[in-house]
């Protein structure tokens, strides 16, 4: 079992390095297919993502390639949203006995949305300013917090979207340079998944040995995939990966 988890981590890391598609969208359904309980799969994935995003966050903070105000405004909404999702599933009695089914189906729907948006981003969406992007950040604080609450709730429930869904929202609603968008996305995602994973850890949902085995495989996998990505066409790879995520979502539902 441990070897299979390490190999799974390596495979997910390789695919993420190759395509840039979020690891949670691949990892959580794969863990469920191995028989890991949905609650444990989501909690462990959040904890694992917190560690992997820490290093990227430190680097972007050193470089200054992030919008600190946007990170703050998103986090004001997303962290309470994620915490609310975790606590609602755990402590609201009518949902407690169905929490695994709720998580599984919610994850399936989110994976389908992520897959469709990923394909649209690769093939159809063009970078162009819209009316909302042109507004100053201060005038969009309410909108930003609302986006954080909604997407944070989804991340707390499914572990998916801390990078992909927020990145798409930032692309549509805010005017950011490419490096700034990536840095803002990673730093915010680190804060979000760390908060959610701490709540899960407090509830005893995180499997730490599982997370360690995933990390052992994913680190060399990401390094290898990143090296190979420069030699392979990006669009077909990302399309294939989005298709796999779409199929995973349909299977979960």
């Amino acid at each position: 079992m441990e070897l299979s988890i390490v190999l799974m981590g390596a495979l997910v890391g390789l695919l993420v390095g190759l395509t840039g598609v979020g690891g949670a969208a691949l990892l959580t359904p794969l863990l469920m297919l191995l028989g890991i309980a949905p609650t444990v799969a989501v909690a462990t994935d959040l904890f694992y993502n917190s560690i992997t995003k820490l290093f990227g966050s430190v680097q972007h903070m050193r470089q200054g390639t992030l919008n600190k105000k946007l990170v703050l405004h998103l986090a004001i909404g997303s962290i309470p949203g994620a915490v609310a999702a975790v606590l609602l599933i755990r402590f609201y009695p009518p949902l407690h006995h169905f929490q695994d089914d709720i998580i599984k189906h919610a994850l399936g729907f989110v994976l389908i949305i992520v897959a469709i948006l990923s394909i649209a981003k690769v093939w159809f969406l063009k970078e162009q300013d819209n009316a909302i992007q042109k507004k100053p950040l201060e005038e969009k604080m309410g909108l930003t917090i609302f986006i954080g609450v909604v997407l944070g709730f989804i991340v707390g429930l499914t572990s998916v979207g801390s990078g992909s869904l927020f990145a798409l929202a930032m692309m549509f609603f805010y005017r950011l340079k490419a490096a700034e968008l990536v840095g803002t996305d990673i730093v915010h995602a680190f804060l979000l998944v760390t908060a959610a994973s701490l709540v899960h850890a407090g509830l005893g949902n995180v499997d730490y040995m599982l997370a360690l085995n995933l990390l052992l495989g994913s680190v060399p996998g990401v390094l290898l995939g990143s090296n190979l990505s420069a030699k392979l066409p990006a669009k077909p790879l990302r399309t294939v990966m989005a298709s796999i995520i779409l199929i995973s979502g349909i299977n979960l539902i």
Side-chain angles (χ1 to χ4, degrees):
M1 180 68 170
E2 289 184 1
L3 179 59
S4 64
I5 295 297
V6 173
L7 292 175
M8 179 187 296
L11 174 62
V12 171
L14 175 65
L15 294 174
V16 170
L18 276 171
T19 66
V21 174
L26 300 169
L27 186 57
T28 305
L30 286 174
L31 290 174
M32 291 183 189
L33 287 175
L34 283 182
I36 306 296
T39 303
V40 175
V42 168
T44 304
D45 190 21
L46 287 167
F47 177 77
Y48 157 85
N49 266 296
S50 174
I51 297 173
T52 57
K53 284 181 169 59
L54 170 62
F55 300 101
S57 297
V58 171
Q59 183 60 33
H60 279 286
M61 290 178 73
R62 284 177 177 174
Q63 296 172 175
T65 48
L66 74 156
N67 187 312
K68 293 180 181 179
K69 283 188 177 180
L70 182 54
V71 169
L72 176 62
H73 293 173
L74 286 171
I76 288 172
S78 66
I79 291 176
V83 171
V86 176
L87 296 180
L88 179 66
I89 290 293
R90 180 61 182 267
F91 293 113
Y92 184 57
L95 298 179
H96 182 70
H97 297 294
F98 308 101
Q99 63 179 5
D100 285 350
D101 288 336
I102 292 170
I103 291 171
K104 186 182 293 184
H105 285 84
L107 177 60
F109 283 113
V110 173
L111 289 176
I112 291 171
I113 293 169
V114 169
I116 293 172
L117 291 177
S118 296
I119 293 172
K121 178 183 173 184
V122 171
W123 293 100
F124 304 112
L125 295 182
K126 296 181 179 179
E127 294 187 7
Q128 55 183 5
D129 290 347
N130 56 51
I132 300 176
Q133 284 178 324
K134 294 176 182 178
K135 291 183 178 180
L137 183 59
E138 289 73 16
E139 294 183 14
K140 296 182 286 190
M141 185 174 179
L143 172 65
T144 305
I145 294 174
F146 176 74
I147 291 170
V149 171
V150 174
L151 298 187
F153 188 90
I154 293 172
V155 172
L157 191 64
T158 67
S159 82
V160 175
S162 63
S164 55
L165 293 180
F166 278 95
L168 287 166
M170 282 188 272
M171 286 177 62
F172 186 80
F173 292 112
Y174 307 94
R175 184 186 291 173
L176 300 169
K177 297 178 182 178
E180 189 180 23
L181 188 149
V182 172
T184 302
D185 189 35
I186 289 176
V187 174
H188 169 261
F190 166 70
L191 296 175
L192 172 57
V193 298
T194 299
S197 66
L198 286 174
V199 177
H200 273 294
L203 296 174
N205 296 332
V206 178
D207 187 328
Y208 297 101
M209 186 55 66
L210 175 61
L212 176 61
N213 288 324
L214 289 169
L215 287 167
L216 288 175
S218 66
V219 172
V222 168
L223 293 174
L224 177 60
S226 298
N227 288 330
L228 291 175
S229 64
K231 305 173 184 178
L232 298 172
K235 280 191 175 183
L237 282 172
R238 293 188 179 187
T239 303
V240 170
M241 192 51 50
S243 301
I244 294 172
I245 293 172
L246 178 63
I247 294 169
S248 297
I250 293 171
N251 286 336
L252 284 173
I253 294 174

